[in-house]
Amino acid sequence: MTLIVKKFGGSSVATPEKILNVAKRVVNEKKPGDKVVVVVSAMGDTTDDLISLAKDVVGNSDINDKMYSREMDMLLATGEQVSIALLAMAFKVLGQKSMSMTGWQAGITTNEMHNKAKIKDINPERVFKELEEGSVVIIAGFQGNTDDGDITTLGRGGSDTTAVAIAAALNAEVCEIYTDVDGIYTTDPRIVKDARRMKEITYNEMLELARLGAGVMHPRSVELGKHYGIPIHVRSTFTSDNGTIIGEEYTNTMEEKEFVIRGVTNDMNVAKVAALGVPDKPGIAFKIFSALASKFIDVDMIIQSVRNPDEHMIDMVFTIKKEDIAQTKETLQDLGLNMSIDENVSKVSVVGVGMLGSPGIAATVFGALADADINIEAISTSEISISCLVSADKAKDAVKVIHDKFFPNN
Amino acid sequence: MTLIVKKFGGSSVATPEKILNVAKRVVNEKKPGDKVVVVVSAMGDTTDDLISLAKDVVGNSDINDKMYSREMDMLLATGEQVSIALLAMAFKVLGQKSMSMTGWQAGITTNEMHNKAKIKDINPERVFKELEEGSVVIIAGFQGNTDDGDITTLGRGGSDTTAVAIAAALNAEVCEIYTDVDGIYTTDPRIVKDARRMKEITYNEMLELARLGAGVMHPRSVELGKHYGIPIHVRSTFTSDNGTIIGEEYTNTMEEKEFVIRGVTNDMNVAKVAALGVPDKPGIAFKIFSALASKFIDVDMIIQSVRNPDEHMIDMVFTIKKEDIAQTKETLQDLGLNMSIDENVSKVSVVGVGMLGSPGIAATVFGALADADINIEAISTSEISISCLVSADKAKDAVKVIHDKFFPNN
């Protein structure tokens, strides 16, 4: 007997026809004795439609205001509830016993942080019972219940998180994430047509890729998979290709091991901040970055450059996310600093656990960019990644030339 | 302090603008210290839209099939959940503390008859707590939860039933039902423009009117109000008129008492069945009507007529609801009986507790119809009503002439 959790996103269940196709696929792939749990998101644009209704109600007020957060969860949780009911019906049409469960029916308890709740506990008793009785159990993604019985939602990447958490609670063999791409690629196939699909990738590499701009998987679910040792299998809803398995280490093929670099990413959601003429005295960096940290502004790629020593001034350059620009400006102004902000930048990165044992990766990256006449405005590195800040209009070229170097087209 | 339950139907909350209007009205009418619970239905056409999605999923199968009933409830319950969330937000926009609750959060437990569940119990603890803390509590109508934690819906008239049941559980002063008509009329104002709105009507009269085709209130909620002694105040969502109070007895004005008849109804959902040449032997009526009863077919207006005594045959005429025609045919065929079925009939009725002490009401009804040359095909009476079966194309005329007799236009 195998216990499998399968998660289908909103585009996979966008119409009644697609819902039926999901049910057909699950039934066809199910072997006798297999126990299958399906986690689903809201149909297609449902969540956007609900948000738009809420906006019409609150008018000039902001739906993200904390006073609305409980009610927004009450509202948005209906999207997944519609999907699970329809999908359960689709299984019955095919003669497969099935039962839908909301987050709370599936025993998912969260903390009380409405709109971005964290799962505290899962009591899978009822899910087990229904699986034992031969049902495919369909669970609403993205939602849970507080101890007080209030409905919560898990925020971005929430349905993937539900799927991996349920897989952990049930000690499932694997958590399959069905999506509109057919796996994890060495880079965005829309930018580089020779991008290769990987058969395997480690949790750590996947987390680093996600942090550096790869959009396929939200880091929360990958972290959860890593924590509980649940392999995550990313597959296409629309083809039967093998996809990519995210796991603790490589198990599979020589082919996978031959590339030290696992992916090249491009993150456009970056702005370069230059705080100019900062007085060069001890503690100034601490002052700046602790002020930013207190407002939860993520800072990366910090470069401190000394001007003429006689001036006793330094320039401090760093990157932030674009959504933090206004708050960053305010914070630096409060500190009495002048600044310039450049939004026309992009962060291009290479990721791979293999680089730990392979010197010269950085040199290869810089060489590829130099050959293509692309200027590097800042550099940052982690154990398993190297990132270069480049002009936004050069970003795609940068991805191409770096990818070509590490994955030569033969 | 007054505790009031107010129920708004789907047309009252069909758009974000209407939802805001409901919130404004409730806030404006609320006196300091009042505790207010609002029960709402799904927005406008939401339920129909959800049913249509389900139909697309099941294809040639029937969504009313018992195997889908649990999932249909899971699906349909989302409609009210959307309304309560948006309405709770609308109150907050106006600065009024509010909290939405699904059926289960409001402590509503039902039996397990999906699609037409009955409320078993209400534990109003949390509702009380939130009212104490100054919130307007907004409860999803039409839904509850089984002891196993499954979502159920209450079937037709479900939101009214929720409202009256909650009012009973909270021992509310009154349950106000806001609807698109402004009260209970002596007959359908679309048929008779002189129809009068009643200030008061008794539970029993209202139940009889509903049974005989008046559509404003579903009998279930009226029965519940009667059982728990909760006055039901039917009012317009769109005007501030006084509406009609349904209660145990008249409390108000002489004016109300002067009319022995309280309403004239017209029920088009009737078919006349004639079982012809039935062998005239003991037990034959029992055989026919117990066979129909075993299939839950409601029979009314039974007339047994004897043919020529030498033939030892009788004709048996009765009325059924139109939706029961196919099953009735089958049942009579199984008994080896010939029949004819006439769908072009309508049941016109007068209702009023006053007729108990007023002889001659029946004569007045028959006289009015005779004067207008309308033939009576069958008659049935109860303690507080008289019904006449007439040709469908004469039904509106029948209502008019009877109404004119009892409510002369002066």
Side-chain angles (χ1 to χ4, degrees):
Chain A
M1 183 216 84
T2 310
L3 202 161
I4 307 172
V5 175
K6 293 168 184 263
K7 181 257 169 179
F8 291 87
S11 59
S12 306
V13 292
T15 63
E17 194 192 348
K18 287 184 174 176
I19 287 174
L20 277 165
N21 285 338
V22 165
K24 277 177 200 155
R25 175 168 191 162
V26 172
V27 167
N28 287 340
E29 289 184 356
K30 185 175 178 298
K31 297 188 193 72
D34 275 2
K35 299 199 188 314
V36 181
V37 171
V38 181
V39 174
V40 269
S41 306
M43 293 171 72
D45 302 325
T46 307
T47 305
D48 291 341
D49 294 345
L50 291 170
I51 287 173
S52 140
L53 275 176
K55 282 187 176 160
D56 286 347
V57 168
V58 304
N60 295 326
S61 185
D62 178 2
I63 55 164
N64 296 314
D65 190 313
K66 204 165 172 304
M67 72 170 168
Y68 300 125
S69 63
R70 180 187 180 277
E71 304 303 334
M72 282 302 293
D73 281 356
M74 178 70 94
L75 179 70
L76 296 183
T78 63
E80 280 72 24
Q81 193 172 323
V82 168
S83 305
I84 57 171
L86 293 175
L87 184 55
M89 292 175 79
F91 277 107
K92 288 177 204 296
V93 170
L94 303 175
Q96 167 63 53
K97 203 173 164 188
S98 64
M99 179 172 279
S100 69
M101 294 191 195
T102 61
W104 61 270
Q105 287 173 342
I108 300 174
T109 310
T110 74
N111 65 12
E112 291 170 15
M113 287 283 283
H114 284 290
N115 306 170
K116 47 188 177 202
K118 294 240 187 313
I119 296 176
K120 276 183 7 181
D121 186 40
I122 297 182
N123 174 354
E125 200 178 323
R126 187 160 187 208
V127 177
F128 266 128
K129 178 172 161 282
E130 298 301 334
L131 288 173
E132 283 299 328
E133 291 179 7
S135 279
V136 168
V137 174
I138 299 124
I139 299 178
F142 182 64
Q143 62 179 245
N145 226 29
T146 68
D147 289 327
D148 287 344
D150 281 336
I151 297 172
T152 49
T153 66
L154 307 182
R156 286 197 55 199
S159 288
D160 288 353
T161 305
T162 301
V164 178
I166 286 280
L170 298 172
N171 198 20
E173 185 142 317
V174 63
C175 179
E176 298 178 345
I177 305 284
Y178 289 82
T179 170
D180 45 10
V181 298
D182 59 358
I184 311 294
Y185 277 74
T186 51
T187 193
D188 187 339
R190 287 167 303 185
I191 299 181
V192 182
K193 71 172 182 5
D194 291 330
R196 301 173 190 205
R197 191 173 66 222
M198 290 175 274
K199 286 182 181 149
E200 294 187 284
I201 187 168
T202 67
Y203 298 121
N204 286 340
E205 286 168 330
M206 194 65 228
L207 286 170
E208 194 71 357
L209 284 172
R211 185 178 76 83
L212 295 170
V216 178
M217 288 290 295
H218 196 275
R220 280 175 73 183
S221 49
V222 180
E223 274 163 12
L224 212 56
K226 176 176 148 90
H227 185 74
Y228 289 102
I230 300 292
I232 299 172
H233 190 171
V234 180
R235 304 180 66 180
S236 163
T237 310
F238 308 110
T239 74
S240 56
D241 286 342
N242 273 329
T244 303
I245 294 175
I246 311 172
E248 186 56 39
E249 52 190 17
Y250 295 108
T251 57
N252 227 339
T253 57
M254 284 305 293
E255 182 199 346
E256 295 292 314
K257 288 187 184 162
E258 104 190 37
F259 300 107
V260 287
I261 292 304
R262 303 296 297 162
V264 185
T265 63
N266 174 27
D267 185 359
M268 308 287 281
N269 184 20
V270 177
K272 184 175 78 168
V273 182
L276 304 172
V278 177
D280 184 13
K281 48 186 183 190
I284 184 68
F286 170 75
K287 209 166 161 183
I288 295 175
F289 295 113
S290 64
L292 292 168
S294 74
K295 295 184 180 168
F296 301 101
I297 297 169
D298 256 342
V299 170
D300 193 15
M301 300 189 131
I302 301 166
I303 300 168
Q304 180 173 328
S305 58
V306 182
R307 292 188 179 184
N308 179 335
D310 295 343
E311 284 187 59
H312 302 293
M313 299 272 211
I314 54 168
D315 294 338
M316 190 77 85
V317 174
F318 55 89
T319 59
I320 55 170
K321 290 184 176 156
K322 287 203 165 85
E323 60 264 32
D324 292 330
I325 289 176
Q327 270 211 308
T328 301
K329 272 188 185 165
E330 203 182 295
T331 310
L332 295 186
Q333 274 159 358
D334 289 350
L335 293 172
L337 297 173
N338 294 319
M339 84 210 82
S340 71
I341 291 186
D342 181 1
E343 296 187 48
N344 290 314
V345 289
S346 188
K347 194 197 295 181
V348 174
S349 312
V350 297
V351 172
V353 288
M355 71 171 67
L356 282 167
S358 303
I361 301 289
T364 309
V365 171
F366 304 152
L369 293 177
D371 287 350
D373 247 352
I374 297 170
N375 191 39
I376 302 174
E377 302 187 27
I379 295 166
S380 69
T381 60
S382 79
E383 278 198 332
I384 61 169
S385 69
I386 298 164
S387 302
C388 300
L389 196 69
V390 300
S391 166
D393 59 333
K394 299 282 190 185
K396 287 185 181 178
D397 283 344
V399 169
K400 266 185 212 140
V401 296
I402 296 173
H403 191 270
D404 283 352
K405 269 279 193 276
F406 289 103
F407 302 95
N409 186 8
N410 44 23
Chain B
M1 182 217 84
T2 310
L3 202 161
I4 307 172
V5 175
K6 294 167 184 265
K7 180 257 169 179
F8 291 87
S11 59
S12 307
V13 292
T15 64
E17 195 193 348
K18 288 184 173 176
I19 287 173
L20 278 165
N21 284 340
V22 165
K24 277 178 200 156
R25 174 168 191 163
V26 171
V27 167
N28 287 340
E29 290 184 354
K30 185 177 180 295
K31 298 189 192 73
D34 275 3
K35 300 200 187 315
V36 180
V37 171
V38 180
V39 173
V40 268
S41 306
M43 294 170 72
D45 302 326
T46 307
T47 305
D48 290 340
D49 294 345
L50 291 169
I51 287 173
S52 140
L53 276 175
K55 282 187 175 161
D56 287 348
V57 167
V58 305
N60 294 328
S61 186
D62 178 2
I63 56 164
N64 296 313
D65 190 314
K66 204 166 172 304
M67 72 171 169
Y68 299 126
S69 63
R70 180 187 180 276
E71 303 304 333
M72 283 303 293
D73 281 356
M74 177 70 94
L75 180 69
L76 296 183
T78 63
E80 280 72 23
Q81 192 171 325
V82 168
S83 306
I84 57 171
L86 294 174
L87 184 55
M89 293 175 78
F91 277 107
K92 289 177 204 295
V93 170
L94 302 176
Q96 167 62 53
K97 203 172 165 189
S98 64
M99 178 171 279
S100 69
M101 294 190 195
T102 61
W104 61 270
Q105 287 173 342
I108 301 174
T109 310
T110 74
N111 66 12
E112 292 171 13
M113 286 285 282
H114 283 290
N115 307 168
K116 48 187 175 201
K118 294 240 185 312
I119 296 176
K120 276 183 9 183
D121 186 41
I122 297 183
N123 174 353
E125 200 178 324
R126 186 157 188 211
V127 178
F128 266 128
K129 178 171 162 283
E130 298 301 334
L131 288 173
E132 282 299 328
E133 291 178 7
S135 279
V136 168
V137 174
I138 300 123
I139 300 178
F142 181 64
Q143 61 179 246
N145 225 29
T146 68
D147 288 327
D148 287 344
D150 280 336
I151 297 172
T152 49
T153 65
L154 306 182
R156 287 196 55 198
S159 288
D160 289 353
T161 305
T162 301
V164 178
I166 286 279
L170 297 172
N171 197 20
E173 185 142 318
V174 63
C175 179
E176 298 178 345
I177 305 284
Y178 290 82
T179 170
D180 45 10
V181 298
D182 60 359
I184 312 293
Y185 278 73
T186 50
T187 193
D188 187 339
R190 288 167 301 185
I191 298 182
V192 181
K193 72 173 183 1
D194 291 329
R196 303 172 188 205
R197 191 173 67 222
M198 290 174 273
K199 287 183 181 148
E200 295 186 282
I201 188 169
T202 66
Y203 298 121
N204 286 340
E205 286 169 329
M206 193 65 227
L207 286 170
E208 193 72 355
L209 284 172
R211 186 178 74 84
L212 294 170
V216 178
M217 290 289 296
H218 196 274
R220 281 175 71 183
S221 49
V222 180
E223 273 163 13
L224 213 55
K226 175 177 149 90
H227 185 75
Y228 290 102
I230 300 291
I232 299 171
H233 190 171
V234 180
R235 305 180 65 181
S236 163
T237 310
F238 308 110
T239 75
S240 57
D241 287 342
N242 273 329
T244 303
I245 293 175
I246 311 171
E248 186 56 37
E249 52 190 17
Y250 295 109
T251 57
N252 228 339
T253 57
M254 283 306 293
E255 183 199 345
E256 293 292 315
K257 288 188 183 161
E258 103 189 39
F259 299 107
V260 287
I261 293 304
R262 303 296 296 164
V264 185
T265 63
N266 174 26
D267 185 359
M268 309 286 282
N269 184 19
V270 177
K272 183 174 80 168
V273 182
L276 304 170
V278 178
D280 183 14
K281 49 188 181 188
I284 185 68
F286 171 75
K287 208 166 162 184
I288 295 175
F289 295 113
S290 65
L292 292 168
S294 73
K295 294 182 180 168
F296 301 100
I297 298 169
D298 256 341
V299 171
D300 193 15
M301 299 189 133
I302 302 165
I303 301 168
Q304 180 173 327
S305 60
V306 183
R307 293 188 179 186
N308 180 333
D310 296 344
E311 283 188 59
H312 302 293
M313 299 269 214
I314 54 170
D315 294 338
M316 189 78 85
V317 174
F318 54 90
T319 59
I320 55 170
K321 290 183 176 157
K322 286 203 164 85
E323 60 263 32
D324 292 330
I325 290 176
Q327 270 211 308
T328 302
K329 271 188 186 166
E330 203 182 293
T331 310
L332 295 188
Q333 273 160 358
D334 288 351
L335 293 172
L337 297 174
N338 294 320
M339 83 209 81
S340 72
I341 292 186
D342 181 1
E343 297 188 47
N344 290 314
V345 289
S346 188
K347 195 199 295 182
V348 175
S349 312
V350 297
V351 173
V353 288
M355 71 171 68
L356 283 167
S358 303
I361 301 291
T364 309
V365 171
F366 303 154
L369 293 177
D371 287 351
D373 246 350
I374 297 169
N375 191 38
I376 302 174
E377 303 188 27
I379 296 166
S380 68
T381 61
S382 79
E383 278 199 332
I384 61 168
S385 69
I386 298 164
S387 303
C388 300
L389 195 69
V390 301
S391 167
D393 58 335
K394 300 281 190 184
K396 288 185 180 178
D397 283 344
V399 168
K400 267 185 212 141
V401 296
I402 295 172
H403 191 270
D404 283 352
K405 269 279 191 274
F406 289 103
F407 302 95
N409 188 8
N410 43 24

